[in-house]
Amino acid sequence: MNMRSCNLWLLLRRTFSHFEYAVSEGVTSAEQRTLKAAIIGAPNAGKSTLVNQLIGQKVFAVSPKVHTTSRKAAGVYTHGNTQIVLLDTPGIVTYQYGRKLKMPKSFIADPYRSLMEAQLIIVMVDASNKWTREHLHPSIVQALCNNPHIPSVLVLNKVDILRHKHTLLAVTESLTSLRAKGAAASGVTAPPTTPCPPPLTTPETCPTSDEVARGTPQCAEDSCPEEKAGSKGTSWPHFSEVFMLSALTNDGIDTLKSYLISRARPGVWEYNTSELTDQPQSALVNDIIREKLFLHLHKEIPYVVTQDTVSWEQRDEDTLYIHQNLNCKSSNQASIIIGPAGRTIQQITAEAKTDIEGLFKCPVDLVLNVRAQKT
């Protein structure tokens, strides 16, 4: 199959050794520097948008709806002799909440999994949400307290939406338990010697390292904090820096990027310089289509649709043909997805096709077929 113009950085993943990668790019393994950073935060904080901006291309799906990201995924940014690996994660939730919504295990376990391999933790907060911006979710604080050996930074996102910028200093103070007088937008340094707060739950009620590794974190039914706005506020005084930015408009991204590069340490790169992610092509395509479902459908419908790839083949030398079924639970749901005169599914298909072509750098023929389960 001729894939000469179709996203070679995905198809040739890990074909050569790290040394061969380095020589081809003029950087020896001895000169390489690396950093792996896990990005955690509440659902819809803008984590995937931030990763897309940092790596310089839209790779991960984003939407205004919560739980768009369903699993841990690595985004890769390589600059000079430095490679930054950014672990995008689902919004952190409690086991009780995830079980209530019947979420896959990856939704619950993957934020914790990411911390097990991280050298830096980026905690992201939606600064525009007045109901949640002044406290960290207890599960986030507990995750930080369970990993005190890993440096952490706070990122206040969506600052472009705030009408009164002085609000950011009050939010910073609340989230860090510090007075942030005169703090610059590029960073606020926290003392490293502040005592760690006591655990919010006992070890028996929150995921252990073994449980996270198995993907089956266990919590007692009533032991974890409820997922609701306005719950008792929590903070973390150990943040090394505080960054204020807008991932959507790219404002402040360069400051954070420079900081990440400065944090890199000598180490052999994990990815080729042409790779932007560890995700396979099929997963990226599924996520793009899922993003369009989230953007154009409402209520529970985009959450219950399942995807099956019927065909994936190269045609006409450089055109990628993808045929996928979108399965829903009822004919009523199928009608909503299709839309009046088929306009909704046509728009979903057209937008997904454009994004897939932009990602793979080749023409794409995308066919989406909506199917209702037989009752």
Side-chain angles (χ1 to χ4, degrees), residues 7-16 18 21 55 59 74-78 83-84 269-279:
N7 201 28
L8 292 175
W9 55 268
L10 281 171
L11 297 177
L12 299 178
R13 181 190 291 108
R14 296 182 177 86
T15 304
F16 307 104
H18 294 302
Y21 286 158
I55 65 179
V59 174
V76 183
Y77 170 70
T78 304
Q83 184 170 96
I84 309 297
W269 291 348
E270 189 175 350
Y271 299 93
N272 188 347
T273 56
S274 60
E275 292 181 277
L276 298 179
T277 181
D278 65 343
Q279 298 297 289

Side-chain angles (χ1 to χ4, degrees), residues 224-252:
C224 292
E226 292 182 355
E227 299 284 312
K228 60 182 180 180
S231 61
K232 185 176 180 180
T234 51
S235 61
W236 180 248
H238 295 279
F239 289 121
S240 300
E241 299 284 337
V242 178
F243 297 89
M244 304 171 187
L245 52 82
S246 170
L248 184 63
T249 66
N250 207 32
D251 184 32

Side-chain angles (χ1 to χ4, degrees), residues 28-42:
T28 66
S29 57
E31 297 172 322
Q32 293 174 1
R33 301 172 67 85
T34 184
L35 173 70
K36 182 171 287 189
I39 305 178
I40 64 172

Side-chain angles (χ1 to χ4, degrees), residues 23-80:
V23 171
S24 66
E25 298 298 328
V27 179
T28 66
S29 57
E31 297 172 322
Q32 293 174 1
R33 301 172 67 85
T34 184
L35 173 70
K36 182 171 287 189
I39 305 178
I40 64 172
N44 213 29
K47 299 180 290 296
S48 297
T49 303
L50 176 64
V51 175
N52 287 338
Q53 291 285 22
L54 288 171
I55 65 179
Q57 182 172 335
K58 183 179 178 183
V59 174
F60 300 123
V62 296
S63 86
K65 292 184 174 65
V66 297
H67 308 311
T68 303
T69 301
S70 60
R71 66 189 179 281
K72 173 175 69 72
V76 183
Y77 170 70
T78 304
H79 176 76

